[in-house]
Amino acid sequence: MSRWHLAAQVDDIRPLLMDVRATNAACAIATLVETSGPAPREIGAQMLITADEHWGYLSGGCIEADVARHGREVMASAEPRLLRYGEGSPWIDIQLACGTGISVLVEPVSGDDPAVAALLDAYAARTPVLWSSDGRTRRVTPPSAGLPPLWDGKQYARLCEPVLRLVLIGEDATAMASAALAQQSGIEVILITPNGPEQPPFADIGYHRTAAADALDAIGLDRWTAVAVMSHDREDDERALARALKSDAFYVGAIGARARLAMRQERLRDHGVSEDRLAQMHAPIGLQGFGKAPRDIALSLVADVARDFHARSAAARSSRESMSSTAPVSAVSR
């Protein structure tokens, strides 16, 4: 009898590694290191395996249970394994629907591994790092202008960026729908509602009740952060928009009618926003062609933000260039 494996939706194993680190438990990490043709996942996709559970997926459900079995054997033997599935595989009973071949490196990892500690410290600090491993030794280093190959036959290298973060300013139904959908999509959500209720509307989101521009300063906007102004307090909105447009935020947008855009842009110029950044502002916000109901706007916003974020990350991976070469050496271990 089959069962729904909801844990397969997990795409970032770092939060799960935090639990492993907290208990000092052993685990195994399985990384897709090579494909010989079209495949459901990109090289670098990972699974986390413990004695009782596994998260993530590497090939659309075809091999995950077998990879988890190997992972537990790797944990017991403390010896990594390089697995081959599909074309060129010794296991003819495991078929890949895509008809290609993939290689998966399964490595044992202890909860007290220094590289894991460095990876999670960088994750908490929103610092990009390069994670590399040959299955026995893991290293965490600052990303450089030119990244090493994804897989050289012995070692893989994986750029680990800060998680996508969406800062929402507002309190109406559209802001609530956007916060709920973004959180469900695995995006880190921070809600800014000046003078709002004492408690946030949802658990596990960031929440600020101060003036929007001050809250943005307190949050600290980096190049993995998107800002969406969903409120209608024009003067405060424009101060917050100006603050966001002067920051490193990769996406800044505002809800509002296109007819008022020219007036808004003029006020933003008065706040010292450059023409280049004005041209990059998403206004009206989100992808066009959706309805105007709160959930429709939320879907258009989250899809637009995620598209921009992943397109930029994909371009960095394909060129093997880091999106950020500014991480301080002190933030990571060698």
Side-chain angles (χ1 to χ4, degrees):
M1 180 179 179
S2 64
R3 65 185 180 97
W4 303 115
H5 191 65
L6 300 180
Q9 299 176 69
V10 172
D11 195 51
D12 189 341
I13 66 172
R14 289 175 294 183
L16 301 168
L17 276 172
M18 287 184 176
D19 295 334
V20 172
R21 183 187 182 190
T23 60
N24 200 27
C27 66
I29 296 176
T31 305
L32 179 63
V33 297
E34 188 178 32
T35 65
S36 59
R41 298 304 314 275
E42 296 172 333
I43 292 175
Q46 292 183 313
M47 288 175 57
L48 181 68
I49 303 154
T50 63
D52 303 312
E53 186 58 278
H54 62 275
W55 296 265
Y57 82 106
L58 305 178
S59 187
C62 303
I63 64 169
E64 283 69 21
D66 191 65
V67 171
R69 176 182 66 82
H70 281 283
R72 294 179 184 112
E73 292 176 1
V74 159
M75 290 164 58
S77 68
E79 291 293 326
R81 295 181 184 179
L82 182 61
L83 310 176
R84 182 71 179 179
Y85 294 98
E87 181 184 15
S89 171
W91 304 300
I92 60 174
D93 56 325
I94 301 177
Q95 300 295 318
L96 301 185
C98 58
T100 187
I102 65 173
S103 296
V104 178
L105 180 64
V106 186
E107 56 189 306
V109 178
S110 63
D112 60 355
D113 188 316
V116 171
L119 176 69
L120 297 182
D121 288 348
Y123 175 73
R126 294 186 63 82
T127 300
V129 293
L130 188 68
W131 167 278
S132 58
S133 176
D134 61 3
R136 298 180 185 277
T137 302
R138 283 150 293 282
R139 299 178 70 242
V140 172
T141 56
S144 57
L147 299 177
L150 294 169
W151 173 248
D152 63 6
K154 295 181 180 180
Q155 176 175 278
Y156 71 84
R158 189 178 192 275
L159 179 63
C160 298
E161 300 176 292
V163 66
L164 167 57
R165 180 170 64 181
L166 175 60
V167 179
L168 294 161
I169 301 172
E171 61 181 321
D172 65 4
T174 301
M176 295 301 99
S178 299
L181 180 60
Q183 186 180 46
Q184 187 178 22
S185 302
I187 298 171
E188 180 184 325
V189 178
I190 299 178
L191 179 67
I192 299 174
T193 304
N195 301 313
E198 290 189 6
Q199 298 300 319
F202 310 109
D204 300 322
I205 69 170
Y207 182 50
H208 292 257
R209 301 172 61 233
T210 57
D214 294 339
L216 292 179
D217 287 342
I219 292 166
L221 304 181
D222 56 35
R223 63 189 67 192
W224 299 273
T225 299
V227 179
V229 176
M230 316 293 285
S231 58
H232 303 279
D233 182 352
R234 300 296 174 199
E235 184 176 351
D236 192 53
D237 289 352
E238 279 144 16
R239 283 197 295 268
L241 269 174
R243 199 68 54 89
L245 286 166
K246 293 177 183 179
S247 75
D248 289 334
F250 77 92
Y251 182 108
V252 179
I255 200 167
R258 192 181 299 275
R260 291 195 291 269
L261 179 57
M263 182 187 302
R264 168 168 272 170
Q265 289 174 328
E266 191 58 37
R267 290 178 178 174
L268 289 171
R269 290 187 184 97
D270 292 340
H271 283 286
V273 178
S274 70
E275 293 299 322
D276 286 346
R277 282 299 268 168
L278 280 177
Q280 295 169 10
M281 183 174 68
H282 295 252
I285 206 166
L287 298 174
Q288 302 307 299
F290 287 75
K292 294 186 177 181
R295 287 178 176 170
D296 291 333
I297 297 173
L299 180 58
S300 74
L301 167 64
V302 173
D304 198 21
V305 168
R307 181 187 65 173
D308 280 14
F309 180 81
H310 291 294
R312 189 182 63 166
S313 295
R317 287 194 302 270
S318 64
S319 65
R320 300 307 293 144
E321 292 182 356
S322 170
M323 285 168 50
S324 173
S325 58
T326 60
V329 173
S330 60
V332 296
S333 71
R334 289 189 178 279

